[in-house]
Amino acid sequence: MQNVKEYIAQHKDRFINELIELLKIPSVSADPAYNQDVLNTADAVKDSLEKAGCDNVEICETPGYPIVYGEKIIDPNLPTVLVYGHYDVQPADPIELWDSPAFEPVIKKTDIHPEGAIFARGACDDKGQMYMHVKALEYMTSTGNLPCNVKFMIEGEEEVGSESLAWFVPRNKEKLANDVILISDTGMIANDIPSITTGLRGLSYVEVEVTGPNRDLHSGLYGGAVANPINILTNMIASLHDENNHITIPGFYDKVEELSREERDEMAKAPFSLQEYKDALDIDDVHGEAGYTTNERNSIRPTLDVNGIWGGYTGEGAKTVIASKAYAKISMRLVPGQDWEEITELFKKHFESIAPKSVKVVVTPHHGGQGYVTPIDNIGYQAASKAYQETFGVTPIPQRSGGSIPIVALFEQELKSKTILMGFGLNSDAIHSPNEHFGVWNYLKGIETIPYFYQYFTELSK
Ligand code: BES
Ligand code: MN
Ligand code: MN
């Protein structure tokens, strides 16, 4: 049987080229203009699974974008790993800030990736990380190294809330039955400091609309006498945080699971340089909730952020106007204990209650999902930890992430299994930003590490 390192060395150019082809298809799920491209990407993923040795590969139709399913069942008595990933990507905007076109992948060296990184939308989130699993499977099936059963479920709506997957999972529990769920859609601390993600934040995403007068008005004739929806909206938003950067929505923190001093001390042991953090972002200071460190603020604490705000005149030059309407998109990152639908309701009630009588407010919930934490005393985590030790030579650090993959909580609820988050991206890979990239080293290291997870998970299941 061939060793995984040798197999990768022999096939790495093809592995990279195949990923590049996949990255050329602009599978932007948020924008209907890319509808056909998203569907074509599902087909490409299907082909790749077939070529990697999967059986029963199918495009499963849903009310939205399809889910690509495939499996390799070698013995029903052996454990089953369910791999999840997503083939959709975020919009490339603002495109003018990309150094090379988002859907024309190029490999360039960077300080952090001296061996080169693939620059393209989706390179890290999540096509590159998803494809590591396809190539790891190819290695295992073609060299007789697959130690257990495997199922793949790759969706096309993760970046827009996974609505169709939430529809699909409860209807296909039998088909999706598994012993552990394996996902690479997160990151690690650094290439020499691997970490396993043990928590994700939940999310509540809402849009607010503030309406003042029934039409745009001359700001001289009416200014000072009627409510300006933009002034009002920005005041209302400002009032959502107090001077300690606590969120002021009544009841918002009621169910937050606080960590013990010991747990926080344990977290603080993860290597972190505040100076490097600030330098990487070109900021002179950090900002956040009083009483918590930067790493706590972005993982174990809930937050509220305006993601976009608009209204009135934003074109060339000046126009004197009081707009009739102002809008904002607001996200709240939630932590275990907080229920996203309850938080959405609390937000709505509070936001409506603080609006002065001079305006009307409409709060429209978008999507959301629950947070997730996984304990580290299960065989899934242990198998992952041993796999990293094998290929990185060090024990990975458990770390809670600030990002969200809302479907993970639903997997646990519906399929009753734990999810192991083996992410190989770096924070500096610029996911969702211009110039997203994924280190070639990270890509190949992922392919190398994944088969060990299967091996150790199978051994520890005995
Ligand atoms: N892969 C990310 C989530 C992520 C990235 C988690 C890095 C941890 C570390 C995922 O594709 C994503 O972007 N999720 C969205 C939520 C979704 C409902 C749009 C997010 O976190 O904003
Ligand atoms: Mn992702
Ligand atoms: Mn994403």
Side-chain angles (χ1 to χ4, degrees), residues 98-111:
W98 284 76
D99 296 331
S100 56
F103 298 105
E104 293 173 27
V106 288
I107 299 181
K108 282 184 289 189
K109 291 187 167 63
T110 72
D111 289 348

PDB file of all heavy atoms in Angstrom, residues 98-111:
ATOM      1  N   TRP A  98      -9.656  43.381  -6.125  1.00  0.00           N
ATOM      2  CA  TRP A  98      -8.890  42.153  -6.371  1.00  0.00           C
ATOM      3  C   TRP A  98      -7.656  42.477  -7.228  1.00  0.00           C
ATOM      4  O   TRP A  98      -7.762  43.234  -8.197  1.00  0.00           O
ATOM      5  CB  TRP A  98      -9.744  41.121  -7.111  1.00  0.00           C
ATOM      6  CG  TRP A  98     -10.765  40.430  -6.258  1.00  0.00           C
ATOM      7  CD1 TRP A  98     -11.945  40.944  -5.809  1.00  0.00           C
ATOM      8  CD2 TRP A  98     -10.707  39.077  -5.764  1.00  0.00           C
ATOM      9  NE1 TRP A  98     -12.619  40.001  -5.057  1.00  0.00           N
ATOM     10  CE2 TRP A  98     -11.883  38.840  -5.020  1.00  0.00           C
ATOM     11  CE3 TRP A  98      -9.774  38.036  -5.879  1.00  0.00           C
ATOM     12  CZ2 TRP A  98     -12.157  37.625  -4.388  1.00  0.00           C
ATOM     13  CZ3 TRP A  98     -10.041  36.826  -5.264  1.00  0.00           C
ATOM     14  CH2 TRP A  98     -11.217  36.625  -4.512  1.00  0.00           C
ATOM     15  N   ASP A  99      -6.522  41.867  -6.891  1.00  0.00           N
ATOM     16  CA  ASP A  99      -5.314  42.070  -7.695  1.00  0.00           C
ATOM     17  C   ASP A  99      -5.362  41.246  -8.975  1.00  0.00           C
ATOM     18  O   ASP A  99      -4.687  41.550  -9.944  1.00  0.00           O
ATOM     19  CB  ASP A  99      -4.064  41.696  -6.891  1.00  0.00           C
ATOM     20  CG  ASP A  99      -3.895  42.628  -5.694  1.00  0.00           C
ATOM     21  OD1 ASP A  99      -4.332  43.789  -5.795  1.00  0.00           O
ATOM     22  OD2 ASP A  99      -3.345  42.190  -4.663  1.00  0.00           O
ATOM     23  N   SER A 100      -6.120  40.160  -8.957  1.00  0.00           N
ATOM     24  CA  SER A 100      -6.361  39.375 -10.175  1.00  0.00           C
ATOM     25  C   SER A 100      -7.816  38.929 -10.110  1.00  0.00           C
ATOM     26  O   SER A 100      -8.382  38.833  -9.027  1.00  0.00           O
ATOM     27  CB  SER A 100      -5.415  38.178 -10.241  1.00  0.00           C
ATOM     28  OG  SER A 100      -5.541  37.392  -9.070  1.00  0.00           O
ATOM     29  N   PRO A 101      -8.452  38.674 -11.274  1.00  0.00           N
ATOM     30  CA  PRO A 101      -9.894  38.387 -11.257  1.00  0.00           C
ATOM     31  C   PRO A 101     -10.257  37.204 -10.353  1.00  0.00           C
ATOM     32  O   PRO A 101      -9.534  36.201 -10.297  1.00  0.00           O
ATOM     33  CB  PRO A 101     -10.204  38.087 -12.726  1.00  0.00           C
ATOM     34  CG  PRO A 101      -9.133  38.789 -13.495  1.00  0.00           C
ATOM     35  CD  PRO A 101      -7.902  38.694 -12.640  1.00  0.00           C
ATOM     36  N   ALA A 102     -11.382  37.352  -9.653  1.00  0.00           N
ATOM     37  CA  ALA A 102     -11.777  36.396  -8.613  1.00  0.00           C
ATOM     38  C   ALA A 102     -11.998  34.987  -9.139  1.00  0.00           C
ATOM     39  O   ALA A 102     -11.839  34.011  -8.405  1.00  0.00           O
ATOM     40  CB  ALA A 102     -13.049  36.900  -7.932  1.00  0.00           C
ATOM     41  N   PHE A 103     -12.382  34.883 -10.418  1.00  0.00           N
ATOM     42  CA  PHE A 103     -12.666  33.548 -10.950  1.00  0.00           C
ATOM     43  C   PHE A 103     -11.660  33.133 -12.030  1.00  0.00           C
ATOM     44  O   PHE A 103     -11.933  32.308 -12.885  1.00  0.00           O
ATOM     45  CB  PHE A 103     -14.125  33.483 -11.438  1.00  0.00           C
ATOM     46  CG  PHE A 103     -15.092  33.709 -10.291  1.00  0.00           C
ATOM     47  CD1 PHE A 103     -15.769  34.920 -10.162  1.00  0.00           C
ATOM     48  CD2 PHE A 103     -15.275  32.743  -9.312  1.00  0.00           C
ATOM     49  CE1 PHE A 103     -16.622  35.150  -9.080  1.00  0.00           C
ATOM     50  CE2 PHE A 103     -16.123  32.956  -8.233  1.00  0.00           C
ATOM     51  CZ  PHE A 103     -16.794  34.166  -8.113  1.00  0.00           C
ATOM     52  N   GLU A 104     -10.483  33.767 -11.963  1.00  0.00           N
ATOM     53  CA  GLU A 104      -9.354  33.340 -12.804  1.00  0.00           C
ATOM     54  C   GLU A 104      -8.202  33.038 -11.854  1.00  0.00           C
ATOM     55  O   GLU A 104      -7.329  33.878 -11.622  1.00  0.00           O
ATOM     56  CB  GLU A 104      -8.993  34.452 -13.790  1.00  0.00           C
ATOM     57  CG  GLU A 104     -10.090  34.696 -14.824  1.00  0.00           C
ATOM     58  CD  GLU A 104      -9.822  35.919 -15.699  1.00  0.00           C
ATOM     59  OE1 GLU A 104      -8.652  36.289 -15.891  1.00  0.00           O
ATOM     60  OE2 GLU A 104     -10.808  36.506 -16.185  1.00  0.00           O
ATOM     61  N   PRO A 105      -8.214  31.827 -11.276  1.00  0.00           N
ATOM     62  CA  PRO A 105      -7.255  31.507 -10.215  1.00  0.00           C
ATOM     63  C   PRO A 105      -5.801  31.658 -10.649  1.00  0.00           C
ATOM     64  O   PRO A 105      -5.461  31.305 -11.786  1.00  0.00           O
ATOM     65  CB  PRO A 105      -7.552  30.027  -9.915  1.00  0.00           C
ATOM     66  CG  PRO A 105      -8.913  29.761 -10.484  1.00  0.00           C
ATOM     67  CD  PRO A 105      -9.105  30.705 -11.611  1.00  0.00           C
ATOM     68  N   VAL A 106      -4.990  32.205  -9.765  1.00  0.00           N
ATOM     69  CA  VAL A 106      -3.536  32.269  -9.996  1.00  0.00           C
ATOM     70  C   VAL A 106      -2.821  31.845  -8.725  1.00  0.00           C
ATOM     71  O   VAL A 106      -3.357  32.001  -7.617  1.00  0.00           O
ATOM     72  CB  VAL A 106      -3.047  33.696 -10.375  1.00  0.00           C
ATOM     73  CG1 VAL A 106      -3.476  34.064 -11.781  1.00  0.00           C
ATOM     74  CG2 VAL A 106      -3.545  34.735  -9.371  1.00  0.00           C
ATOM     75  N   ILE A 107      -1.620  31.303  -8.897  1.00  0.00           N
ATOM     76  CA  ILE A 107      -0.808  30.929  -7.733  1.00  0.00           C
ATOM     77  C   ILE A 107       0.270  31.976  -7.548  1.00  0.00           C
ATOM     78  O   ILE A 107       1.005  32.297  -8.484  1.00  0.00           O
ATOM     79  CB  ILE A 107      -0.179  29.528  -7.920  1.00  0.00           C
ATOM     80  CG1 ILE A 107      -1.298  28.486  -8.076  1.00  0.00           C
ATOM     81  CG2 ILE A 107       0.722  29.181  -6.736  1.00  0.00           C
ATOM     82  CD1 ILE A 107      -0.817  27.065  -8.248  1.00  0.00           C
ATOM     83  N   LYS A 108       0.297  32.550  -6.336  1.00  0.00           N
ATOM     84  CA  LYS A 108       1.317  33.557  -6.028  1.00  0.00           C
ATOM     85  C   LYS A 108       1.903  33.256  -4.656  1.00  0.00           C
ATOM     86  O   LYS A 108       1.199  32.765  -3.769  1.00  0.00           O
ATOM     87  CB  LYS A 108       0.685  34.959  -5.997  1.00  0.00           C
ATOM     88  CG  LYS A 108       0.429  35.540  -7.372  1.00  0.00           C
ATOM     89  CD  LYS A 108      -0.099  36.971  -7.289  1.00  0.00           C
ATOM     90  CE  LYS A 108      -1.506  37.035  -6.760  1.00  0.00           C
ATOM     91  NZ  LYS A 108      -2.124  38.367  -6.850  1.00  0.00           N
ATOM     92  N   LYS A 109       3.167  33.584  -4.491  1.00  0.00           N
ATOM     93  CA  LYS A 109       3.805  33.412  -3.179  1.00  0.00           C
ATOM     94  C   LYS A 109       3.449  34.591  -2.279  1.00  0.00           C
ATOM     95  O   LYS A 109       3.296  35.712  -2.760  1.00  0.00           O
ATOM     96  CB  LYS A 109       5.326  33.367  -3.344  1.00  0.00           C
ATOM     97  CG  LYS A 109       5.826  32.114  -4.056  1.00  0.00           C
ATOM     98  CD  LYS A 109       7.345  32.085  -4.016  1.00  0.00           C
ATOM     99  CE  LYS A 109       7.930  30.753  -4.402  1.00  0.00           C
ATOM    100  NZ  LYS A 109       7.721  30.243  -5.728  1.00  0.00           N
ATOM    101  N   THR A 110       3.308  34.354  -0.989  1.00  0.00           N
ATOM    102  CA  THR A 110       3.106  35.435  -0.024  1.00  0.00           C
ATOM    103  C   THR A 110       4.054  35.178   1.151  1.00  0.00           C
ATOM    104  O   THR A 110       4.663  34.106   1.240  1.00  0.00           O
ATOM    105  CB  THR A 110       1.658  35.453   0.520  1.00  0.00           C
ATOM    106  OG1 THR A 110       1.483  34.336   1.401  1.00  0.00           O
ATOM    107  CG2 THR A 110       0.612  35.372  -0.590  1.00  0.00           C
ATOM    108  N   ASP A 111       4.157  36.158   2.052  1.00  0.00           N
ATOM    109  CA  ASP A 111       5.039  35.982   3.220  1.00  0.00           C
ATOM    110  C   ASP A 111       4.623  34.763   4.020  1.00  0.00           C
ATOM    111  O   ASP A 111       5.453  33.992   4.483  1.00  0.00           O
ATOM    112  CB  ASP A 111       4.978  37.222   4.128  1.00  0.00           C
ATOM    113  CG  ASP A 111       5.674  38.403   3.462  1.00  0.00           C
ATOM    114  OD1 ASP A 111       6.367  38.169   2.443  1.00  0.00           O
ATOM    115  OD2 ASP A 111       5.500  39.543   3.940  1.00  0.00           O
TER     116      ASP A 111
END
